[in-house]
Amino acid sequence: MMIELTPQTIVTAGAVITAALLLIQRFAKGVRWFDQQEKQTTDIAALKAKHEADMKALKQALTEDMRGINEEQTLLTYGVLACLKGLKEQGCNGPVSEAINKIEKFLNKKAHGD
């Protein structure tokens, strides 16, 4: 069987080759798109894991900071209470006695978890 090279045969062959190349190109583009979606899915999962780890570390750091702040506030409260008691010993009364009572009441509540 012999194939004749006519202009119509050349045009038909060119159309078939072009269609085949187009299909291959579209298939390759589809494969790349699916690969990109898969990569995005894994990237998102990695970002979520990193975010959760960062949030856990931040929470731990804030908890430690709050512990330090609470200790500092406790020391400051005891210092203020000592100053107020010193003022009371010096003869100051009225608001000094009231402040001492309020601070002692507050510290007593805190000590008993109220």
Side-chain angles (χ1 to χ4, degrees):
M1 176 168 160
M2 192 163 162
I3 299 176
E4 263 184 66
L5 279 178
T6 62
Q8 182 62 34
T9 327
I10 294 172
V11 170
T12 305
V16 169
I17 291 171
T18 303
L21 289 175
L22 182 65
L23 286 173
I24 291 170
Q25 180 188 20
R26 295 296 176 185
F27 178 76
K29 192 171 185 177
V31 169
R32 281 194 306 269
W33 184 81
F34 277 108
D35 288 345
Q36 183 181 12
Q37 296 304 311
E38 178 111 6
K39 184 180 181 306
Q40 284 179 352
T41 302
T42 56
D43 288 350
I44 288 171
L47 285 173
K48 281 182 181 179
K50 184 177 181 334
H51 174 71
E52 288 174 8
D54 288 347
M55 291 305 291
K56 185 176 179 180
L58 179 62
K59 184 178 179 182
Q60 184 178 2
L62 287 175
T63 301
E64 291 172 8
D65 286 348
M66 287 304 297
R67 213 174 288 131
I69 289 170
N70 287 340
E71 289 175 11
E72 184 178 343
Q73 286 179 340
T74 301
L75 288 174
L76 290 172
T77 303
Y78 283 123
V80 168
L81 183 59
C83 290
L84 289 171
K85 285 184 176 183
L87 285 172
K88 187 171 183 177
E89 288 176 7
Q90 296 283 327
C92 297
N93 209 355
V96 172
S97 297
E98 185 180 327
I100 290 171
N101 290 336
K102 284 184 179 182
I103 291 174
E104 286 178 340
K105 184 177 178 181
F106 172 79
L107 290 174
N108 193 24
K109 282 185 177 181
K110 277 297 202 180
H112 293 95
D114 292 340

